[in-house]
């Protein structure tokens, strides 16, 4: 395990499991040095990043480095973590790792295409039918008031008949049980042809309410 953990999202530093309290600029300095480890970061780069558009004396950076060294327990002057390169800059030479916030993967977008209209499907269960109360309303003569149920779970989409008069047809056969559909697959509700799309980028023209 690395001796120092730099959590960028939480703006926290831990050394051997113990929180290290840093001032905002000291934290930014540490992140910059660790990101360039083991290479040196010049005085000019550090000044531009820490004090953008502001002129500060050379001693300001030196004082900030001293503050950071002290917080990390590197105050003996032997440069165990932060090494001074005279007239150049500073380099982080300790053992550290940066933890960045993770971005949750977006759920695949699922939608039905009917008569050129794109109807987005929410996660979970939606009823397809002619009734206005259906989450996916398809107003056509061959569609029952509550015709079918479609279930979206991650990238899996399944459909089942709800005892409709004209049936649900997949691959040319009327289904009698729950069927999993594939991306781009067309099926028939009564005489209406519907196509399923999963993970497409085109914006939907209508969004249903779960």
């Amino acid at each position: 395990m690395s001796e120092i953990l730099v959590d960028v999202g939480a703006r926290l530093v831990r050394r051997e499991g113990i929180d290290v309290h840093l001032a905002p600029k000291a934290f930014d300095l540490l992140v910059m040095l660790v990101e360039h480890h083991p290479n040196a970061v010049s005085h000019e780069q550090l000044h531009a990043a820490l004090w953008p558009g502001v002129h500060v004396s050379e001693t300001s950076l030196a004082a900030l480095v001293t503050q950071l060294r002290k917080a990390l327990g590197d105050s003996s002057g032997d440069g165990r973590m932060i090494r001074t390169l005279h007239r150049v800059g500073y380099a982080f030479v300790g053992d550290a790792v940066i933890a960045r916030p993770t971005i949750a993967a977006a759920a695949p977008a699922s939608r039905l295409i009917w008569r050129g209209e794109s109807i987005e499907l929410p996660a979970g269960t939606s009823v397809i039918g002619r009734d206005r109360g259906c989450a996916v309303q398809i107003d056509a003569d061959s569609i029952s008031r509550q015709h079918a149920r479609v279930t979206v779970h991650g990238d899996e989409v399944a459909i089942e008949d709800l005892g409709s008069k004209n049936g649900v047809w997949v691959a040319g056969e009327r289904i009698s049980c729950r069927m999993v559909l594939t991306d781009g697959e067309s099926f028939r509700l009564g005489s209406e042809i519907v196509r399923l799309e999963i993970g497409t980028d085109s914006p939907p023209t209508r969004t249903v309410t779960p």
Side-chain angles (χ1 to χ4, degrees):
M1 179 179 294
S2 295
E3 183 180 5
I4 296 175
L5 172 67
V6 184
D7 189 328
V8 175
R11 291 187 68 86
L12 291 174
V13 177
R14 289 188 177 90
R15 181 170 180 244
E16 297 178 344
I18 300 174
D19 288 354
V20 176
H21 300 286
L22 295 177
K25 283 199 182 299
F27 180 87
D28 294 339
L29 170 62
L30 176 62
V31 171
M32 196 168 182
L33 291 175
V34 173
E35 283 181 332
H36 287 79
H37 170 270
N39 300 319
V41 186
S42 69
H43 295 135
E44 292 76 13
Q45 287 177 286
L46 292 171
H47 275 282
L50 298 171
W51 295 280
V54 179
H55 176 72
V56 296
S57 66
E58 293 294 331
T59 57
S60 297
L61 179 57
L64 191 61
V65 171
T66 299
Q67 178 185 333
L68 179 57
R69 279 175 170 156
K70 183 177 180 180
L72 297 178
D74 187 21
S75 56
S76 61
D78 56 6
R80 290 183 298 111
M81 294 186 187
I82 301 175
R83 184 162 60 93
T84 300
L85 290 86
H86 296 288
R87 298 183 182 180
V88 177
Y90 299 92
F92 190 86
V93 294
D95 187 15
V97 65
I98 288 183
R100 297 190 179 279
T102 57
I103 299 175
S110 300
R111 55 182 58 89
L112 299 178
I113 309 299
W114 171 65
R115 293 187 182 181
E117 181 180 7
S118 178
I119 307 170
E120 187 175 351
L121 293 173
T125 300
S126 303
V127 174
I128 305 174
R130 197 175 70 251
D131 193 281
R132 290 186 178 182
C134 291
V136 181
Q137 185 187 14
I138 295 181
D139 191 4
D141 292 340
S142 63
I143 303 294
S144 298
R145 293 177 62 85
Q146 293 189 347
H147 197 104
R149 179 186 295 114
V150 62
T151 303
V152 179
H153 181 68
D155 60 355
E156 181 183 274
V157 180
I159 193 168
E160 56 186 312
D161 194 354
L162 292 179
S164 64
K165 178 180 178 181
N166 297 312
V168 177
W169 301 74
V170 178
E173 296 185 4
R174 184 168 183 167
I175 67 172
S176 58
C177 59
R178 181 177 181 271
M179 294 286 293
V180 175
L181 303 171
T182 58
D183 181 26
E185 184 172 9
S186 294
F187 57 94
R188 185 157 55 88
L189 303 173
S191 60
E192 298 298 316
I193 303 298
V194 182
R195 186 175 78 255
L196 170 69
E197 292 184 354
I198 303 174
T200 56
D201 296 326
S202 56
T205 57
R206 176 156 63 100
T207 302
V208 305
T209 302

